[in-house]
Amino acid sequence: MSNIGLIIEERSRDIGDFLVGRLIPFRKKRMIGPFIFIDHMGPTTLGPTKYMDVDQHPHIGLSTLTYLFEGEVTHRDSLGTEQLIKPGSVNWMTAGSGVSHTERTPENLRNGKVFKAQGYQIWVALPKNLEDMEPSFHHIPAEELPRWEEDGASFTLVAGEGYGLKSPVPTYSPLFMLEIKTTGEYQLNVHGKLKGEIGICIDNGAITACGETIGKGNILVSKTEDTCNILVQPNSHLLLFGGEEFPEERFIHWNFVSSSKEKIEAAKSAWVNKTFPMMSDDDTYVPLPQQKI
């Protein structure tokens, strides 16, 4: 594995009735570019007695990126946003100085029928000079994302810049997130097409890199300038993400991310005392868990 610095295996955990596979942060690798947190939601079957219901919880210092493959989620937040997330679209919520939100199965799917749900919940840390920016929300429909075909592989540029294209998602530092699906074997060569650190998440299928075959549920971590030739197996589904690393360390406590431990402590106190920005029409509340930064 001369060019692959690390392979991270997905670690499963339960959030109520929803199975989540944590990919990063990992003890040996806290971030990949500005990406600081990646959860694989599902795949799972929901309804008629279990649904996704994530009560009101806070964020600071990051942007959340929600990207679904199956199912639907209703996002609501303290900015007054209410948005239905469908497969292939992007929800991009920038917490900045502070925002609260909920994520729930929409009412139209609470109809007694079962359905599949799967996707990724991703956190992108903000640059130090923008950690306290005003919160904002953007929804980008699937049809607005750049897409192209190449030798039996289909590409979607979910966020950032790559392959000479730019996604309409309003990012705040140099980064990229790509979705790749293959029908046959595909030789992946990212040299000169992506900039910065790179993570290759194998959602389905397998890849062969540096003489080793790695299957689904793993992330490979490398540098684009060092990445060896990668052969993607037929019927594979990959997410590539990464970008330029920040010069400063990032701390993470629960849903709070910052270059400053003091800012995290202030956010924790605000959440406990309920002086944090809250939703005006939702009185649910997820208590602050006790853990060390």
Side-chain angles (χ1 to χ4, degrees):
M1 301 299 292
S2 58
N3 300 110
I4 301 298
L6 182 67
I7 299 175
I8 301 172
E9 184 177 1
E10 187 170 313
R11 292 96 67 207
S12 296
R13 63 190 180 91
D14 286 310
I15 300 180
D17 291 322
F18 211 77
L19 183 65
V20 171
R22 173 67 47 76
L23 290 159
I24 62 171
F26 182 65
R27 65 183 182 276
K28 293 183 179 179
K29 187 63 177 172
R30 305 298 296 175
M31 297 176 68
I32 300 175
F35 290 78
I36 195 167
F37 179 94
I38 297 178
D39 263 355
H40 183 196
M41 304 181 292
T44 190
T45 300
L46 298 180
T49 59
K50 65 174 183 177
Y51 297 104
M52 182 179 185
D53 278 303
V54 181
D55 289 340
Q56 184 171 197
H57 59 282
H59 292 287
I60 65 165
L62 56 81
S63 296
T64 63
L65 190 162
T66 304
Y67 193 62
L68 299 180
F69 302 147
E70 300 177 280
E72 297 179 358
V73 174
T74 296
H75 163 100
R76 298 176 66 244
D77 62 40
S78 54
L79 300 172
T81 307
E82 181 170 349
Q83 178 64 56
L84 179 65
I85 315 172
K86 293 186 176 184
S89 63
V90 176
N91 256 30
W92 178 262
M93 182 184 73
T94 297
S97 60
V99 73
S100 302
H101 74 130
T102 62
E103 296 162 297
R104 305 190 187 281
T105 298
E107 290 301 323
N108 64 290
L109 293 181
R110 297 176 187 254
N111 54 11
K113 298 181 180 180
V114 298
F115 61 94
K116 294 289 183 65
Q118 183 185 185
Y120 284 82
Q121 181 71 52
I122 295 167
W123 297 356
V124 181
L126 289 167
K128 184 176 180 179
N129 65 319
L130 295 177
E131 286 183 330
D132 297 322
M133 68 183 292
E134 286 294 314
S136 63
F137 177 87
H138 295 84
H139 175 80
I140 294 85
E143 58 271 18
E144 294 184 13
L145 298 176
R147 302 176 187 275
W148 67 97
E149 304 282 332
E150 185 179 292
D151 299 329
S154 62
F155 288 73
T156 301
L157 183 58
V158 178
E161 297 186 43
Y163 286 74
L165 299 170
K166 185 175 183 178
S167 166
V169 175
T171 56
Y172 300 103
S173 66
L175 61 85
F176 57 84
M177 178 173 162
L178 282 164
E179 180 180 23
I180 303 175
K181 297 179 180 179
T182 64
T183 52
E185 280 192 346
Y186 176 74
Q187 192 73 46
L188 178 64
N189 179 10
V190 300
H191 184 70
K193 300 174 183 178
L194 301 172
K195 294 182 180 180
E197 195 170 26
I198 183 172
I200 303 171
C201 174
I202 307 169
D203 181 75
N204 197 39
I207 68 174
T208 301
C210 306
E212 183 169 340
T213 298
I214 303 101
K216 69 178 182 178
N218 292 288
I219 285 183
L220 282 74
V221 183
S222 186
K223 303 282 187 178
T224 55
E225 62 268 25
D226 296 333
T227 301
C228 55
N229 290 329
I230 295 173
L231 182 65
V232 186
Q233 300 299 325
N235 303 312
S236 292
H237 184 193
L238 310 179
L239 291 178
L240 276 62
F241 60 92
E244 293 186 12
E245 299 176 80
F246 292 137
E248 320 88 5
E249 183 178 3
R250 287 300 182 277
F251 303 103
I252 181 169
H253 181 102
W254 189 36
N255 301 316
F256 304 131
V257 170
S258 180
S259 61
S260 164
K261 289 185 177 181
E262 290 74 21
K263 289 182 180 179
I264 291 180
E265 289 301 320
K268 288 165 58 178
S269 296
W271 186 249
V272 169
N273 296 320
K274 298 189 177 180
T275 58
F276 199 90
M278 307 291 285
M279 297 169 62
S280 61
D281 52 358
D282 190 308
D283 59 2
T284 61
Y285 177 83
V286 178
L288 178 77
Q290 296 301 312
Q291 65 185 65
K292 294 182 179 179
I293 298 177

